Amino acid sequence: FPNHLIRNFAILSHIDHGKSTLADRLLEETRTIQRKEGPGGNKQVLDKLKVERERGITVKAQTASMFFEDGGKNYLLNLIDTPGHVDFSWEVSRSLRACQGALLLVDATQGVQAQTISVFHIAKEQGIKIIPVLNKIDLPAAGPERISSQIATTFGLDPSEMLYISAKTGLGVTDVLKAVVGRIPAPTFDVGAPLRALLFDSSYDRYRGVISLVSLQGGTIRKGDRIASCHTRKKYDIIDVGIMHPEETSTGVLQAGQVGYIACNMKESAEAHIGDTLHRVGESVEPLPGFKPTRAMVFAGIFPVDSNDFTKLEESIKRLTLTDRSVTIQRESSTALGQGCRLGFLGTLHMDVFRQRLEDEYDASVIITAPTVPYMIIQKGKSKIISNPTDFPEASEVSMRTAEVQEPMVNATIIVPQGESMCEYLGDMMDLCSSHRAQDIDHRYLDSSGSSQRVILRSKLPLSEIVTDFFDSLKHRSSGFASFDYEDAGYEKSDMMKMTFMLNGKPIDALAMIVHRSALSHVGKGWVKKLKEVIPRQLFEVAIQAVAGNKVISRETLSAMRKDVTAGLYGGHYERKLKHLNKQKEGKKKMKRIGNIDLPQEAFFTVLSSK
Ligand code: GTP
């Protein structure tokens, strides 16, 4: 395929605006997959993961190649389906590096939403051609003209460039293909140049090892070629090469401008570096610009429910991170929960999805600790990042008195409808922000006219405030109408303290958390109460305390269980008594000891998974 007949493009949009549905239609229209009518029809065929199907969201970007005839010419179109949620924006910018254009899809009933703005900016930054597409025009509530002018004013796009489609019914989908061919520039890479393949994604196949997705930005790659990595300098033989059509389809060759997969006997997942440049052995090339490394923003400890399963869990986590390189791993051990891993995620949805994938794909049952953000401690001109509350110094420590604590901040964007009957939303959203320690709340109208307007609200918030219940509250208080996105805004000084929970004076390390001074009492009370509900009564009284800076913030007492378990089993029934005691011993094995208190592992599970 010569370059001028190739188009590499992505579909970008806010969550649920119809990317995966449009991808299905494009694959059908080009006969890449067979059309299926009725309720059993093709549904988000590119969303292959169980979690994606269950939640109806795209988590992992997928690549699919198709052929399309236009004006007597046969084109090769490479589509990259991208996820819409803020936590996965890394996947978006990564995918776009292999594209020369993108369809910016907007739901004609919802209009511009927070992530529409963020993905637009990512695409703009990469300098690629953007084609605005208005989707769901089949719905009675669609307002194509209004939304079209909203898109035009928000992004400075020409309204005449807008395409009107229904990904559901297929209306206008051919025009989308024609626009891809007509408006998106062909890649301009040199087939005669030395091989340079950008490795932009990888997955693990039990039989063939690592399968990498590559974008060829120079030269040709063939089965049997010997290649090397610019990053690791390791050498490999290409055993298979081809395109995703939409499944792996061996072609034996890929050339500059194309996107496809390679298998090259790469055994270890760690060898496939996302952003690496692969070249031919014996040729020296300038590596392509790599990707900005991602920064984990939310950390949590993951422990097996059954401590014996640690090795298996660790192996599963390693396998899973191969398909999701943005997760960071470190070993961690806790007196309460045993051996585990401390993982870093891009956000809480990311964390949730990872946990679900561990359960779905690796059959793991895990306990996940409360999420925490990375704090910075500055002392004597040196700074240190702390991502585990256990490592956070006590307020009473001498060093702590001379140190400054800083916390990560974000610039948040909330978009909410504001009409005569909906006045309350804007106020509610402002209240929500204020109650989460927001600064500089500011708003403006997105549409210039009309009775039902949209307001864009911007504010600076501590990241720690949005990793817990912020998103749920936002959706709840706006009846689902508000959309939300945020970006990194650096670190700021803050009055954070470590809160520890104690059982009869002994700390439960897995529950330590970092809390703003103003929230100590509220948070402490809530958790102590939750703990009281899940801790089984012991033969003695148990004091449950929340402690911060050497002060008891909250306390509850769990009264003693007076009954002797064997009381009802009198003398003669020795065997029964023994059996009973043995059974108790069995149960004890699954218990964790904090001081002299036995806690079932499930108690941690319950307390940590309750909202
Ligand atoms: P994420 O991958 O999670 O970001 O979502 P998405 O953008 O891929 O959206 P998806 O294709 O999963 O569609 C979301 C919902 O909108 C699904 O229930 C689709 O059936 C529905 N939908 C998509 N396009 C249309 C359309 O043109 N008309 C109507 N009526 N519904 C549509």
Side-chain angles (χ1 to χ4, degrees), residues 84-142:
H85 192 275
V86 48
D87 286 5
F88 304 106
S89 58
W90 184 61
E91 289 267 339
V92 178
S93 48
R94 197 150 60 93
S95 311
L96 291 188
R97 286 287 296 281
C99 298
Q100 287 74 44
L103 303 170
L104 181 69
L105 203 61
V106 180
D107 184 328
T109 65
Q110 308 231 323
V112 171
Q113 298 282 348
Q115 269 101 59
T116 319
I117 296 183
S118 70
V119 290
F120 171 80
H121 287 298
I122 297 174
K124 189 101 183 145
E125 242 169 52
Q126 310 241 355
I128 63 172
K129 173 74 193 169
I130 297 169
I131 302 175
V133 181
L134 221 56
N135 188 28
K136 307 199 187 179
I137 59 163
D138 60 298
L139 290 174

Side-chain angles (χ1 to χ4, degrees), residues 16 18-21 44 56-58 135-136 138-139 166-168:
D16 275 351
K19 286 181 299 291
S20 308
T21 310
Q44 291 106 9
I57 56 169
T58 306
N135 188 28
K136 307 199 187 179
D138 60 298
L139 290 174
S166 164
K168 188 167 178 186

Side-chain angles (χ1 to χ4, degrees), residues 47-65:
D47 285 351
K48 293 174 190 161
L49 306 174
K50 183 164 169 244
V51 44
E52 296 184 310
R53 295 194 156 272
E54 275 179 15
R55 297 184 179 216
I57 56 169
T58 306
V59 169
K60 198 148 168 55
Q62 297 288 352
T63 303
S65 299

Side-chain angles (χ1 to χ4, degrees), residues 132 155 209 212 238 351 365 444 490-491 537 594:
F155 301 124
S212 303
I238 302 281
M351 176 172 98
S365 25
R444 70 177 170 83
Y491 275 82
R537 290 222 253 156
I594 307 285

